[in-house]
């Protein structure tokens, strides 16, 4: 739910002010990430989806005339978008490598990697051009702890819960 300007979450000017399409999608339950594997995150919950351009299903669907692969944001308005992702892999294995990344049309456009100690989260963001006809973005996570671990999910999204894997994005107007 939007809050007034000066709050700590979204403002009503952001959601209703023309930076659309916009979305925030999150993982609604834990997802297993195999060892040494880049895994697309099944962000099946929607905190908001202004413009109806996020596909929170496991199959390809058509949204606003654009084919949107599973768990992807495929806007129908061309422009520059700020896309961000936050991920956390549950592991008790110190010094395991974790990667959180964003892919455009199946190709990584940015990622952040860290050697983590006990389930720390990572955030990454990028400004990317999306053509409004067939471009889409997805979120990936990776880990090399020696066995499968879980990406964190939750049944509802809370702005103050930094453990939930999620991705957001919005059109940058005037750029």
């Amino acid at each position: 739910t939007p809050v007034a300007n000066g709050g700590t979450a979204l403002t009503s000017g952001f959601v209703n002010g023309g930076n659309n399409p916009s979305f925030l999608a999150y993982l609604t339950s834990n997802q297993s990430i195999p060892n040494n594997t880049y895994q697309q995150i099944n962000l099946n919950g929607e905190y908001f989806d202004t413009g109806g351009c996020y596909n929170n299903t496991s199959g390809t669907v058509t949204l606003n005339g654009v084919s949107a692969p599973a768990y992807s944001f495929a806007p129908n308005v061309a422009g520059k978008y700020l896309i961000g992702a936050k991920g956390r892999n549950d592991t008790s294995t110190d010094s395991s490598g974790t990667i959180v990344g964003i892919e455009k049309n199946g190709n990584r456009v940015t990622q952040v990697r860290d050697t983590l100690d006990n389930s720390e989260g990572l955030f990454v963001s990028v400004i990317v051009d999306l053509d409004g006809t067939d471009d889409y973005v997805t979120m990936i996570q990776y880990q090399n702890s020696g066995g499968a671990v879980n990406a964190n999910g939750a049944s509802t999204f809370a702005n103050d819960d930094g453990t939930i894997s999620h991705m957001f994005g919005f059109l940058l107007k005037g750029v």
Side-chain angles (χ1 to χ4, degrees):
T1 304
V3 297
N5 286 337
T8 60
L10 304 173
T11 66
S12 59
F14 170 81
V15 174
N16 299 317
N19 289 76
N20 298 317
S22 61
F23 78 102
L24 189 150
Y26 62 96
L27 187 61
T28 62
S29 62
N30 291 348
Q31 179 181 340
S32 181
I33 309 295
N35 186 50
N36 285 331
T37 302
Y38 288 91
Q39 182 78 36
Q40 180 178 334
I41 303 303
N42 301 336
L43 302 172
N44 54 349
E46 292 181 347
Y47 188 64
F48 65 89
D49 182 11
T50 307
C53 297
Y54 185 79
N55 177 8
N56 69 339
T57 71
S58 61
T60 300
V61 298
T62 301
L63 302 172
N64 302 310
V66 177
S67 180
Y71 310 112
S72 71
F73 176 62
N76 62 339
V77 176
K80 293 187 184 306
Y81 286 79
L82 176 65
I83 306 293
K86 169 85 186 301
R88 180 182 128 168
N89 294 331
D90 282 335
T91 179
S92 60
T93 305
D94 287 352
S95 301
S96 60
T98 296
I99 292 173
V100 173
I102 298 169
E103 293 186 343
K104 174 183 171 183
N105 303 333
N107 299 302
R108 198 150 322 110
V109 292
T110 192
Q111 69 179 28
V112 61
R113 183 190 188 286
D114 200 0
T115 303
L116 301 180
D117 297 326
N118 293 322
S119 305
E120 296 165 348
L122 298 174
F123 175 79
V124 65
S125 65
V126 64
I127 295 173
V128 62
D129 287 304
L130 300 174
D131 65 14
T133 58
D134 59 6
D135 284 341
Y136 64 92
V137 291
T138 55
M139 177 182 174
I140 58 101
Q141 286 180 224
Y142 167 91
Q143 60 84 26
N144 66 355
S145 68
V149 300
N150 286 329
N152 267 34
S155 60
T156 59
F157 185 80
N159 286 327
D160 61 349
D161 186 347
T163 68
I164 301 169
S165 293
H166 63 279
M167 181 173 70
F168 67 89
F170 57 90
L171 177 64
L172 295 171
K173 287 285 193 175
V175 177

